[in-house]
Amino acid sequence: MEVYLDNNATTKVDEKVYEEMKPFFCEIYGNPNSLHSFGSATHKKMVEALDYLYDGIGARDEDDIIITSNATEANNWVLKSVYNDYILEGDKKHIITSEVEHPAITAVCNFLEKKGVEVTYLSVNEDGTLTADAVADAIRADTALVSIMWANNETGKLFPIKEIGAICKEKGVLFHSDATQAIGKVKVDVHDANVDMISFSAHKFHGPKGVGGLYIKAGVKLTPYMHGGEQMDGRRAGTVDVASMVGMGKAMHLATNTMALAYEQNHVGMLRDKLERAILKLPDTIVIGGKENRTPNTTLISIKGVEGEAMLWDLNQNGIAASTGSACASEDLEANPVMNAFGSDSELAHTGIRFSLSRFNTEEQIEYAIEHIKKAVERLRGISSSYAYTPKNHKSEL
Ligand code: C6P
């Protein structure tokens, strides 16, 4: 059996999304900016896709959603544009973020620090998040931007976005949130949360890879990402990848309607809890950041005495895909920085396994995964020098 439990790395494209995209290669191929009927046929579908995107995140007509190639591009755009517009050309010099952001935020912040920007990386509490008060305390007169993720990719922990949004609004500071791991898992409403910008990637919610978006609230000034033609209001010039954009629109629609979110909460959440409960019956296992206030599909579990990479290998041999953390840092054998940020001791820092589910997982798959996780833990603890294995302490109720 094949069991894919690495949906925070990427998801399978929904067949309905794939069907929606197909005509845009050989049938509906006009340039959406052309004035003839080939162009207007394409343009019409782009507008439909944009409507789905606006609806999915609660954007208003006067706001902008700019199609990008992914969340990484959207995040880079926000930070580098803030540097240009508010720091180089303005009187600000400070950015606030958290130390558990994806590298698409932290690496850009590191880059900007070399250019003289002052960055505060807020640490997280034992529960894996931070408080809005911590953000409020860090805001200075010269703060240009607060960028805090909506949901963490490794733990699924949800940040208090609405409260942070209210503080930023009150203090007149721009607020960006990387919502890559939130869309399709929890309700994202940009106005309710008072965010000025959010980033997302379609492949995290069963859309195609290579396409994403940046929501920009009406009135927010950002240097265009690419200069050239008039596409995307001149904010990101260049002919749009229409098939991908249409696919993203459909995927957004399928993932964010009320029924889909309820299914995510109930069905996907139930499967995640079943998997997690079974693993937690093994001794010396903990959920990093705890179980409260998370996306329904994710769990990051530390299994004492079991190297994350060794566990992944065992599971992979049995057709089960999971990860030790971010897919893009999986070749880095350093201790998981997210676990370090939670204050886990260095021994535990190498023992995290992330399971991230999707609406395509079944109960049968989860039962199969539980059986093989149990075998892998017993085998790996049996050969671990750091874990005193006794068949007794290891007897699980699985
Ligand atoms: N995280 C993970 O395994 P791109 O690659 O641009 O589509 O997405 C980047 C990205 C940005 N922000 C967050 C919060 C993310 O989780 C990701 C992607 C994957 O956790 C791959 S590294």
Side-chain angles (χ1 to χ4, degrees), residues 8-9 70-72 102 153 178 180-181 201 203-204 327-328 354:
N8 285 7
N70 48 35
T72 299
H102 187 273
N153 50 317
D178 179 351
T180 307
Q181 297 289 351
S201 262
H203 72 107
K204 307 290 189 191
C328 54
R354 177 182 73 177

